[in-house]
């Protein structure tokens, strides 16, 4: 029997996105020889995700009524924690709505209750504010992906930052893969702009499409690759048709092949309305890609000095993209960036070991 039992809870649908990938990377790289790590998700998993999690030795609990019947969900979570003997419950969240998860975990007997902030705003601010007093009473250890995300959820209380770390070798630039992928995508001398994000209001796709339409009026060598899925996908397809730019926009959908797409790109963009500390920007830096990010995103994400922050103005983004020199030495840039990221604590092996040590040390204090 494992000495320690950890239950990871994802309070948003589990997918190959920021929070989902953070959970997967930490669990995959953690030494589980004396520790069980299982996962609660709030959606029905598709086959590849289910297989990936099970292959890591994790048990999956699907509780699909979190947003429709929160008290029922809390009771189900209580039962899971109690029956499974989970001493540590690590809740990945964006707001004080994690109170419902904390309540279930506490009633189930967990000793270490760790909400992990992944954002700097939420889409339900009134509920967030109403739940804050109870939220503060329930949690034991505050976690965050960065300082701004931590201050958003925990205010002036103490919290621990866990970097959105990665295996830099997976995302390092590969010239042969670039040539192969660009050939498959028939890019030739085209300039490929990439965006990786779910289609939701936060990610600001409508703004990006307006910028791109203006770029094409001056230079039709550009192609925009939109990687992701989500609630606004159909409306963005409609907007592309209305702007008459369909031949220049590629809707990739969800893919496990993101590193290969990054090799093929020339420039990445993230015009988000708000962010915690975005995983994807870490990946772009490891690949040596120049990146434009909205100036509302935390400057913490610029580990390498290669990120340009811009205000959300269509004209400013258009002119910046059209003026950029994109013939940099990607191999050299990628190597330098990967070295800087490792030195800054963004090696997933090291961060996963640090997290496990934290679990063990602090669980013992509360037992």
């Amino acid at each position: 029997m494992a000495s320690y039992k950890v239950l990871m809870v994802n309070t948003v649908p589990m997918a190959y996105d920021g929070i989902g990938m953070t959970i997967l990377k930490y669990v995959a790289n953690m030494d589980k020889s004396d520790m069980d790590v299982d996962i609660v998700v709030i959606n029905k998993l598709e086959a590849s995700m289910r297989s990936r999690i099970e292959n890591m030795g994790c048990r999956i609990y699907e509780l699909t009524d979190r947003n429709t019947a929160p008290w029922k969900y809390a009771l189900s979570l209580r039962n899971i924690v109690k029956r499974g003997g989970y001493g540590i419950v690590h809740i990945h969240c964006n707001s004080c709505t994690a109170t419902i998860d904390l309540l279930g975990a506490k009633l189930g007997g967990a000793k270490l209750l760790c909400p992990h902030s992944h954002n700097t705003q939420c889409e339900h601010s009134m509920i967030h504010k109403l739940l804050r007093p109870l939220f503060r009473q329930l949690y034991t250890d505050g976690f965050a992906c960065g300082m701004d995300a931590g201050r958003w959820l925990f205010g002036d209380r103490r919290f621990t930052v866990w970097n959105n770390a990665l295996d830099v070798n997976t995302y390092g630039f590969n010239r042969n893969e670039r040539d192969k992928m660009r050939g498959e995508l028939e890019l030739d001398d085209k300039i490929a702009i990439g965006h990786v994000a779910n289609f939701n209001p936060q990610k600001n796709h409508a703004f990006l499409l307006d910028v791109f339409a203006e770029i094409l009026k001056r230079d039709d060598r550009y192609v925009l690759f939109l990687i992701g899925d989500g609630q606004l996908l159909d409306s963005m397809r409609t907007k592309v048709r209305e702007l008459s730019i369909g031949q220049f926009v590629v809707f990739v959908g969800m893919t496990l092949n993101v590193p290969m797409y990054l090799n093929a790109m020339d420039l990445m963009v993230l015009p988000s309305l708000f962010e915690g500390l975005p995983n994807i920007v870490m990946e772009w830096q490891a690949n040596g890609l120049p990146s434009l990010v909205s100036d509302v995103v935390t400057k913490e994400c610029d580990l390498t000095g290669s990120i340009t922050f811009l205000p959300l103005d269509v004209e400013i983004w258009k002119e910046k993209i059209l003026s950029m020199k994109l013939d940099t030495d990607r191999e050299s840039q990628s190597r330098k960036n990967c070295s800087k990221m490792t030195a800054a604590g963004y090696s997933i092996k090291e961060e996963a070991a640090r997290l496990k040590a934290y679990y063990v040390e602090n669980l013992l204090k509360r037992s």
Side-chain angles (χ1 to χ4, degrees):
M1 182 176 177
S3 301
Y4 307 98
K5 299 197 73 174
V6 180
L7 190 64
M8 292 267 189
V9 179
N10 191 353
T11 63
V12 299
M14 188 74 176
Y16 293 106
D17 59 8
I19 293 180
M21 289 306 297
T22 295
I23 293 171
L24 293 176
K25 285 186 285 189
Y26 268 94
V27 174
N29 287 279
M30 190 175 291
D31 173 17
K32 298 184 285 294
S33 58
D34 59 347
M35 176 178 284
D36 288 339
V37 183
D38 298 323
I39 300 175
V40 170
V41 300
I42 66 167
N43 57 307
K44 291 289 185 183
L45 296 182
E46 49 90 15
S48 69
M49 177 66 79
R50 174 175 291 281
S51 177
R52 182 167 181 168
I53 293 173
E54 289 176 343
N55 287 340
M56 293 190 296
C58 301
R59 183 171 181 176
I60 303 165
Y61 301 95
E62 293 179 340
L63 301 182
T64 58
D65 51 8
R66 181 181 187 273
N67 298 329
T68 56
W71 297 115
K72 179 183 176 184
Y73 165 85
L75 291 174
S76 297
L77 185 58
R78 178 203 64 180
N79 293 337
I80 289 170
V81 173
K82 187 174 182 178
R83 292 169 184 167
Y86 296 100
I88 304 161
V89 178
H90 185 159
I91 303 164
H92 297 264
C93 59
N94 294 313
S95 73
C96 288
T97 60
T99 299
I100 200 70
D101 310 271
L102 288 167
L103 187 60
K106 187 175 182 65
L107 291 173
K111 302 298 183 183
L112 213 61
L113 305 170
C114 312
H116 187 150
S117 178
H118 287 273
N119 226 321
T120 56
Q121 291 186 40
C122 66
E123 297 175 4
H124 31 260
S125 58
M126 184 60 71
I127 299 173
H128 168 74
K129 291 176 182 177
L130 288 171
L131 289 174
R132 183 180 289 279
L134 182 55
F135 173 86
R136 287 191 159 206
Q137 291 181 40
L138 289 173
Y139 80 86
T140 63
D141 297 70
F143 292 169
C145 64
M147 294 301 296
D148 288 349
R151 294 188 193 103
W152 149 255
L153 194 56
F154 306 110
D156 58 2
R157 289 187 168 191
R158 180 183 177 277
F159 59 88
T160 302
V161 171
W162 301 101
N163 294 323
N164 286 346
L166 69 159
D167 180 353
V168 293
N169 295 322
T170 298
Y171 290 92
F173 179 72
N174 185 305
R175 172 65 63 182
N176 291 333
E177 293 295 343
R178 174 179 171 83
D179 294 341
K180 177 183 176 182
M181 194 69 175
R182 286 182 69 88
E184 292 177 4
L185 297 173
E186 299 180 349
L187 287 172
D188 299 321
D189 61 347
K190 297 290 185 180
I191 301 171
I193 301 176
H195 181 256
V196 185
N198 283 338
F199 285 80
N200 61 42
Q202 172 187 348
K203 302 302 182 179
N204 209 12
H205 287 83
F207 172 86
L208 176 56
L209 291 175
D210 287 337
V211 171
F212 189 62
E214 291 300 310
I215 289 171
L216 291 174
K217 292 176 182 178
R218 293 252 299 269
D219 191 335
D220 64 2
R221 291 177 301 156
Y222 288 84
V223 181
L224 177 62
F225 288 82
L226 300 176
I227 300 174
D229 199 352
Q231 60 183 337
L232 297 182
L233 176 58
D234 289 342
S235 63
M236 291 305 106
R237 289 185 186 276
T238 299
K239 186 175 178 67
V240 165
R241 289 194 295 270
E242 292 172 347
L243 291 170
S244 301
I245 58 175
Q247 70 186 94
F248 303 97
V249 179
V250 180
F251 288 91
V252 178
M254 295 300 294
T255 178
L256 299 179
N257 205 24
V258 170
M260 295 300 97
Y261 275 95
L262 296 186
N263 283 319
M265 296 297 106
D266 298 298
L267 168 69
M268 301 302 292
V269 290
L270 187 71
S272 298
L273 298 175
F274 56 91
E275 290 283 352
L277 199 152
N279 272 328
I280 49 176
V281 177
M282 303 299 112
E283 296 167 3
W284 302 347
Q285 289 174 88
N287 196 262
L289 275 159
S291 306
L292 301 184
V293 175
S294 63
D295 63 0
V296 299
V297 176
T298 177
K299 307 304 184 290
E300 293 176 80
C301 70
D302 187 7
L303 300 176
T304 62
S306 58
I307 307 299
T308 300
F309 296 91
L310 296 175
L312 288 170
D313 179 280
V314 170
E315 186 68 16
I316 291 174
W317 278 66
K318 178 195 75 173
E319 291 300 330
K320 181 61 179 179
I321 291 172
L322 287 169
S323 66
M324 292 184 75
K325 298 186 184 303
L326 302 173
D327 55 350
T328 56
D329 181 353
R330 284 272 290 282
E331 288 100 337
S332 175
Q333 190 64 54
S334 176
R335 285 195 298 272
K336 291 177 183 176
N337 287 0
C338 287
S339 178
K340 290 178 181 178
M341 293 171 72
T342 299
Y346 278 77
S347 163
I348 187 59
K349 288 287 187 186
E350 294 178 10
E351 279 293 272
R354 186 168 76 95
L355 177 58
K356 178 179 178 177
Y358 185 101
Y359 285 157
V360 173
E361 179 183 353
N362 287 276
L363 181 61
L364 290 174
K365 288 178 182 179
R366 292 174 174 84
S367 297

